[in-house]
Amino acid sequence: MPAYNEGENLTALLPDALAFCRARGWRLLLVDDGSKDDTRVLCEALSGEPGFHFFRHKLNRGYGAALKTAARHCDTEYCATMDADGQHRLEDIERLFSLLRERDADLVVGSRKGLPPASRLRGIGKFLIRAVARMMMKVPVHDLNSGMKVYRTALLQQYLHLAPNTMSFSDIITLVFISNRHLVLEHPISVMAREKGSSTIGMQTAFQTVMEILNIVILFNPARIFLPLALMCTAIGLCVGLPILFAGRGVTTGSLLGIFAGIVFFLLGLIAEQLSSIRKHLPRNGPE
């Protein structure tokens, strides 16, 4: 559970979360990501509670960085993530976990499909992220950036270095699992309205996530980007140049530039594919 300035919400959430985990023999790992409110004081007061583990970043590193810290300290076969803003229901974790065990999945995403977004701006951002992701690769889940997920811990730890430290961690780690052909499922969850505090998610988060998606696609399947660019530039060059050539006026600089750009993108795609193939076949040294 990553937390940044969520002291007001944690006051109500933590006692219930600890009781929920103790009843099932689970552990709760909370990371204070450099909060400036009373999050640290509240967590330190509970540090002696059985099954509660508290970690703190001296400075704010980002949502993804907090999740990475918790994941690196997890030594169980499975782990679940949830937000500290009080919007998730603890009971949904059990439903996701049951589906993961039943289907032998590697990642189960808590889907908020059909639920209204917290704001119109966030709704636009999520739509943009989904649209770009689906253009780049086949995405079998709807809610990429849900904060409630259940993972196989070893796989999560193995891919932590590929995910960013920012809010886009949730989207990118899901795409990494999908790109590596792991079984990723989703299951509906319910979400409650945030009662206290304010979200730090905005359109900037959406644009950061789109850039991270492009990075991941280039890493795993670069032809998805370079081949369309090569075909588009070549087609534009031919469409512009051929009519002028057939009219007997020679070859224009613009058409040559388009065709040359197409060839360059194609060659870059080949190089990127070779690098991607080499990376996939490199021996893995285990979790980061």
Side-chain angles (χ1 to χ4, degrees), residues 11-256:
T11 300
L13 175 61
L14 275 183
D16 291 339
L18 286 171
F20 181 86
C21 291
R22 278 197 297 264
R24 291 156 180 80
W26 298 354
R27 294 187 298 138
L28 174 60
L29 282 66
L30 188 145
V31 179
D32 172 17
D33 188 31
S35 297
K36 298 177 181 178
D37 63 357
D38 60 349
T39 296
R40 176 183 180 181
V41 176
L42 176 64
C43 292
E44 287 179 344
L46 295 171
S47 59
E49 292 287 331
F52 180 66
H53 302 268
F54 170 56
F55 307 94
R56 180 174 180 269
H57 295 164
K58 294 180 181 179
L59 298 175
N60 179 250
R61 300 182 191 173
Y63 177 83
L67 285 172
K68 290 180 181 182
T69 295
R72 291 185 182 115
H73 287 88
C74 185
D75 57 6
T76 53
E77 185 176 1
Y78 308 101
C79 65
T81 60
M82 66 176 290
D83 295 337
D85 56 12
Q87 297 190 74
H88 289 149
R89 295 183 183 274
L90 294 163
E91 296 76 12
D92 283 330
I93 296 177
E94 282 193 307
R95 299 185 180 95
L96 302 185
F97 182 58
S98 295
L99 178 61
L100 185 142
R101 296 291 300 274
E102 177 186 336
R103 296 282 300 276
D104 193 28
D106 300 302
L107 167 61
V108 178
V109 179
S111 176
R112 299 161 294 180
K113 185 178 182 179
L115 299 177
S119 67
R120 180 175 296 181
L121 194 62
R122 289 183 65 176
I124 294 172
K126 290 180 181 179
F127 174 80
L128 177 64
I129 291 169
R130 286 196 298 269
V132 172
R134 285 186 165 86
M135 283 193 298
M136 296 293 103
M137 64 177 71
K138 185 177 180 181
V139 181
V141 297
H142 174 83
D143 198 354
L144 286 173
N145 61 352
S146 172
M148 178 172 278
K149 294 181 173 72
V150 177
Y151 304 82
R152 290 189 184 273
T153 305
L155 288 175
L156 174 60
Q157 292 173 336
Q158 181 176 316
Y159 299 133
L160 286 178
H161 67 286
L162 296 174
N165 290 338
T166 61
M167 290 296 300
S168 55
F169 176 96
S170 295
D171 307 81
I172 300 307
I173 198 67
T174 305
L175 294 177
V176 169
F177 270 69
I178 293 170
S179 297
N180 279 289
R181 309 298 296 169
H182 297 298
L183 180 56
V184 179
L185 305 174
E186 65 180 341
H187 189 278
I189 60 172
S190 53
V191 177
M192 299 175 286
R194 173 189 276 270
E195 295 183 358
K196 299 175 182 178
S198 59
S199 174
T200 58
I201 299 175
M203 282 301 294
Q204 182 181 1
T205 303
F207 287 116
Q208 288 175 347
T209 303
V210 168
M211 294 306 300
E212 293 290 349
I213 289 173
L214 294 176
N215 288 335
I216 288 297
V217 173
I218 291 175
L219 183 63
F220 288 104
N221 193 2
R224 283 277 185 149
I225 292 179
F226 288 105
L227 185 57
L229 285 174
L231 292 175
M232 181 180 67
C233 290
T234 303
I236 292 174
L238 291 174
C239 290
V240 171
L242 287 178
I244 298 174
L245 178 65
F246 291 151
R249 291 185 290 167
V251 181
T252 65
T253 303
S255 62
L256 287 176

